[in-house]
Amino acid sequence: MSEHQNDPGARRRPLLQAPAVQALFLFFIGLVGANVLDVLAQRAGLSPFSPFQTSLLHGVIAALLARLRRMAAWWWFILLVFPAAALGVGQLHLPSWLFLAVFLFLLVLFWSTFRSQVPFYPSGQPAWDAVAGLLPQGRPIRFMDIGSGLGGAVLNLARRRPESEFIGIEIAPLPWLVSRVRAAMNGNRCRFVRGDYLLLDFADYDVVFAYLSPAAMAALWRKARAEMRGGSLLLSYEFHIPEAPPDIVIQPEGGGPVLHGWRM
């Protein structure tokens, strides 16, 4: 049994520790704080806050609390702007079904982002070119793109190396479905699997490519060290592993983030 399999915390964390749950808690603290300050201001003889002023104060309090909690920067931004944005949208008097439609779209696009802390990060041609240059030559390989999104990397690399096996795994339903449709329309033999990459065995692959987020890199490194075979290659676009200096650092032609690589 691998080190990763012995560590259930690497797969999931208690619900109350999930960043989305913490952000929701801070959101309500900010709401209470803004209203308490409004009451105190009125008792001091000041005019009541307007709804817009209250929403701004609500956002500032929640964002400051998120910073004190050392949450990721995007949570600060979300908590800062959401109250005022919600107030503005509410004043537009939009139909209720529209909010449900937007919620369902975002749900199938981002799915478990609240747990995995991996937002939808699409890569691009410069990254795919850099990865292609690092693939082992002279033999078929098995390649896994974890968090494959809309499937661009897998589709592109599979066209270049038709003798090899290219697989993408994606947990969010909408990107996974789009990648499946794209593969079918192009007659591409690559495969797209819907699921959690933490449940895969990295020993089955010669190259594992990831474009995740800083929050996910420690767990990725633990799994790679425990499972990947000698001679295999772990690649990460943009995000590095703090405790593991990369063996390869490539700046893709055309600019963009750096590609990091570790030889196992």
Side-chain angles (χ1 to χ4, degrees):
M1 183 175 291
S2 70
E3 172 189 338
H4 172 75
Q5 290 170 319
N6 282 322
D7 181 12
R11 290 190 183 180
R12 59 183 182 276
R13 58 180 60 190
L15 179 62
L16 293 179
Q17 295 181 18
V21 175
Q22 294 185 44
L24 183 62
F25 182 63
L26 297 181
F27 177 85
F28 283 111
I29 291 179
L31 177 61
V32 172
N35 282 278
V36 167
L37 291 176
D38 187 15
V39 171
L40 293 176
Q42 293 181 55
R43 288 184 177 180
L46 301 177
S47 300
F49 296 161
S50 68
F52 181 67
Q53 290 172 327
T54 302
S55 66
L56 286 179
L57 185 58
H58 176 186
V60 169
I61 294 172
L64 287 174
L65 291 173
R67 177 161 185 171
L68 290 174
R69 289 283 300 170
R70 298 185 178 180
M71 298 182 70
W74 61 75
W75 285 115
W76 311 351
F77 177 76
I78 291 171
L79 289 168
L80 178 65
V81 304
F82 184 81
L87 177 66
V89 170
Q91 293 177 344
L92 295 176
H93 305 294
L94 298 174
S96 57
W97 62 263
L98 182 60
F99 295 96
L100 177 61
V102 171
F103 170 76
L104 293 175
F105 173 77
L106 294 176
L107 179 65
V108 297
L109 178 61
F110 294 105
W111 200 247
S112 68
T113 297
F114 75 93
R115 174 177 62 83
S116 65
Q117 302 186 67
V118 181
F120 177 64
Y121 284 135
S123 57
Q125 190 67 50
W128 307 338
D129 291 342
V131 171
L134 294 175
L135 298 182
Q137 302 295 317
R139 61 181 176 88
I141 63 167
R142 297 195 79 211
F143 175 99
M144 168 62 70
D145 180 4
I146 57 178
S148 54
L150 302 179
V154 171
L155 291 165
N156 182 277
L157 296 170
R159 284 194 294 269
R160 304 186 194 208
R161 296 286 297 272
E163 84 289 352
S164 296
E165 184 177 2
F166 290 84
I167 301 168
I169 184 164
E170 173 60 54
I171 198 169
L174 182 58
W176 167 79
L177 180 60
V178 170
S179 61
R180 288 287 300 268
V181 172
R182 291 180 69 188
M185 291 179 64
N186 290 295
N188 202 301
R189 295 179 58 188
C190 58
R191 293 195 296 120
F192 292 97
V193 179
R194 183 170 172 266
D196 188 341
Y197 78 88
L198 291 173
L199 304 180
L200 295 177
D201 187 351
F202 281 9
D204 295 334
Y205 303 95
D206 301 291
V207 180
V208 174
F209 171 65
Y211 189 16
L212 300 177
S213 78
M217 297 308 294
L220 174 66
W221 181 239
R222 287 195 299 269
K223 184 173 177 64
R225 282 194 307 167
E227 298 178 0
M228 293 187 74
R229 293 176 282 106
S232 57
L233 181 64
L234 173 66
L235 299 174
S236 173
Y237 188 49
E238 183 169 355
F239 305 114
H240 69 284
I241 300 167
E243 65 270 30
D247 302 304
I248 303 167
V249 178
I250 295 178
Q251 175 65 63
E253 292 186 10
V258 170
L259 179 66
H260 305 86
W262 294 264
R263 296 187 178 93
M264 310 306 290

